[in-house]
Amino acid sequence: MKNTVSFILIGAAMIVGCYCGCIRRGVECIEYQVVSRHLGYEERQYPATAWVSTSTEGPSLSEANREMYKKLFGYIQGHNVKGMKMNTTTPIRTRIVPCHGATCATIFIMSFLIPADMAETAPYPLDTALFIEKDPPMRYAVRVFEGRATETDWLEESHKLAELVKKDISIDKSYYYTAWYDPPYQLFHRINEIWMVKKTEKQPSPNAGNEQIVPETKDHKFEN
């Protein structure tokens, strides 16, 4: 009888889905839900998240990332109003807005994920170039690829995703995110992603409506 009850509870959890803890290589990540899978990409639902971010303009993603990473790393090492060190998290994401404004400059906004237990209490940065962002629940089209990504790789993969979703008018193609999960010293089994926001009138609750939320399975989740 006990085993039967356990199976019923597990089955119910798979139907409604849940946002549970996510760990990759010992650090906190975001537990998302897969809404649908397509050839070359998938749609995911993410919970509300908090980020510390900074921005710059320029022609090179690699140079921009190096510049922004140093500032954000300083923040989690204690360069904030509380002098508080914070745990590392993953992924690190960079929003890329190509050809912006009269000069057609590319805008880069890099963000570190704030640990979930500090989302409402994160200390303000001392560096005025940094700022705190709070994202509501969001839905993304996501393309995953492996390896040590170069700037060319990021660009090519973003073009591939844009081509795959070109007929979906609900996906905002005016900008995209790069997301990388592994530290520089990690040589193998690296995971990289391109995200594009899917615009919806209302971000659905996992328990609302008729749309089925597909729970994560072991063969799809990242391995530690």
Side-chain angles (χ1 to χ4, degrees), residues 39-217:
L39 182 63
Y41 75 100
E42 62 189 19
E43 287 187 19
R44 299 177 184 171
Q45 180 69 33
Y46 281 76
T49 49
W51 307 78
V52 57
S53 305
T54 188
S55 64
T56 189
E57 293 185 7
S60 170
L61 172 62
S62 300
E63 291 179 10
N65 276 347
R66 280 194 293 270
E67 173 189 335
M68 294 185 292
Y69 184 92
K70 291 178 183 178
K71 294 179 180 180
L72 293 169
F73 187 74
Y75 170 82
I76 67 171
Q77 287 298 298
H79 193 56
N80 54 66
V81 295
K82 294 182 180 179
M84 178 187 297
K85 288 190 175 182
M86 300 167 64
N87 292 332
T88 56
T89 55
T90 193
I92 295 172
R93 74 177 191 188
T94 301
R95 178 172 174 168
I96 301 175
V97 187
C99 196
H100 177 81
T103 61
C104 203
T106 298
I107 295 177
F108 303 100
I109 305 171
M110 178 181 272
S111 305
F112 281 13
L113 177 69
I114 292 174
D117 62 355
M118 297 183 62
E120 300 300 324
T121 60
Y124 287 103
L126 290 174
D127 187 339
T128 57
L130 273 60
F131 51 95
I132 303 294
E133 294 185 283
K134 292 184 178 180
D135 288 356
M138 300 286 288
R139 185 166 294 186
Y140 298 95
V142 179
R143 179 170 174 82
V144 183
F145 64 103
E146 297 183 354
R148 185 175 291 277
T150 65
E151 188 158 349
T152 299
D153 293 330
W154 289 117
L155 187 60
E156 289 180 351
E157 294 297 331
S158 69
H159 287 168
K160 288 178 183 177
L161 181 56
E163 181 67 20
L164 289 167
V165 300
K166 67 180 180 180
K167 294 182 179 180
D168 189 340
I169 61 174
S170 69
I171 294 177
D172 190 338
K173 306 170 189 70
S174 64
Y175 67 95
Y176 62 94
Y177 293 95
T178 66
W180 42 284
Y181 286 80
D182 303 291
Y185 57 79
Q186 181 67 36
L187 299 179
F188 305 106
H189 309 297
R190 298 179 64 88
I191 294 294
N192 315 293
E193 295 175 345
I194 301 292
W195 300 355
M196 289 184 177
V197 172
K198 185 176 179 67
K199 299 173 286 186
T200 58
E201 293 183 3
K202 184 179 180 180
Q203 293 293 338
S205 161
N207 300 325
N210 297 319
E211 186 174 45
Q212 182 181 5
I213 302 294
V214 182
E216 286 301 289
T217 56

Side-chain angles (χ1 to χ4, degrees), residues 22-29 87-90 181 224:
C22 175
I23 299 295
R24 175 167 171 80
R25 303 194 191 281
V27 300
E28 181 181 339
C29 50
N87 292 332
T88 56
T89 55
T90 193
Y181 286 80
N224 291 340

